[in-house]
Amino acid sequence: MMPEASSHFVIPQPPVVSVPVAGTLERFPVRRVYCVGRNYADHAREMGHDPDREPPFFFTKAAQCLVTDGGVFPYPTISKDVHHEVELVVALKAGAANVDPADALALVYGYAVGIDFTRRDMQAQAKAKGHPWEMSKSFDHAAAIGALAPVDQIGHPASGRIWFEIDGDLRQDGQLDQMIWSVPEVLSHLSHMVTLAPGDLIYTGTPAGVSAVERGNKLVGRIDGVGSVETTVV
Ligand code: MN
């Protein structure tokens, strides 16, 4: 008799990380989480960089970092300066390599609002020393995400307000059309570096206004026509 599939693993299989799909009981399984650095000119400036149209650059977070379903954000260890970055998140239903921007939107399942949490003090040290950003970006609970809105319900948002509040206080307030690289351009660039696949999430960068969060803060990010993400810092 064949053993059950799970008995092939020497430890219990880690759970599949997944994101709820708005208005349904279905969930989107997550493969990789990619993030774009500096994709809004005003945020590039506030971080001390020239917002000229250099090619986009990318980093990753582990899927196991995701905070979903309105879960809490436990303040991470080590850092004393953890920032919020509200971002449009793209979720892929299909894969491709070397995709043309004109073909890129056909890969998209839907969109969500996300928060890229960043240990800003550790990131600044890493930048100064030429070290990897990993531990400033891919720590436990480092990426919140709201429910996914499928393309067949909302289309492909290329404009609209993106904003972020702490305890009702407006901190970030931008427009999607301020992105230096559009979603099709981001997907095209990324697909020349790695093979994209169903389940991939891409955080597309943040507008200006990033700031520190503190324990007890209620965080809310919203994008017109897409949805929201909410979490509390504990
Ligand atoms: Mn970011």
Side-chain angles (χ1 to χ4, degrees), residues 35-38 43 59 85 87 116 118 137 203-206:
C35 305
V36 186
R38 292 172 214 147
H43 174 63
F59 57 92
E85 300 183 355
E87 311 201 1
D116 165 9
T118 305
K137 286 291 195 179
Y203 281 61
T204 57
T206 197

Side-chain angles (χ1 to χ4, degrees), residues 153-172:
Q153 291 177 24
I154 67 160
H156 297 281
S159 63
R161 186 181 179 212
I162 173 171
W163 73 106
F164 189 83
E165 295 176 347
I166 299 180
D167 298 332
D169 222 28
L170 188 64
R171 299 300 177 97
Q172 294 186 263

Side-chain angles (χ1 to χ4, degrees), residues 8 18 20 23 35 66 68 108 119 133 143 172 181 189 214 223 229:
H8 291 287
S18 65
C35 305
L66 285 173
T68 68
V108 179
R119 285 162 157 163
W133 288 14
Q172 294 186 263
W181 297 95
H189 274 277
E214 305 290 345
I223 300 176
V229 59

Side-chain angles (χ1 to χ4, degrees), residues 35 55 67 79-80 93 116 134 154 158 173 190 200 206 208 223:
C35 305
V67 173
S79 178
K80 294 187 164 26
K93 66 180 179 185
D116 165 9
E134 204 81 14
I154 67 160
D173 194 4
L190 183 57
D200 286 349
T206 197
I223 300 176

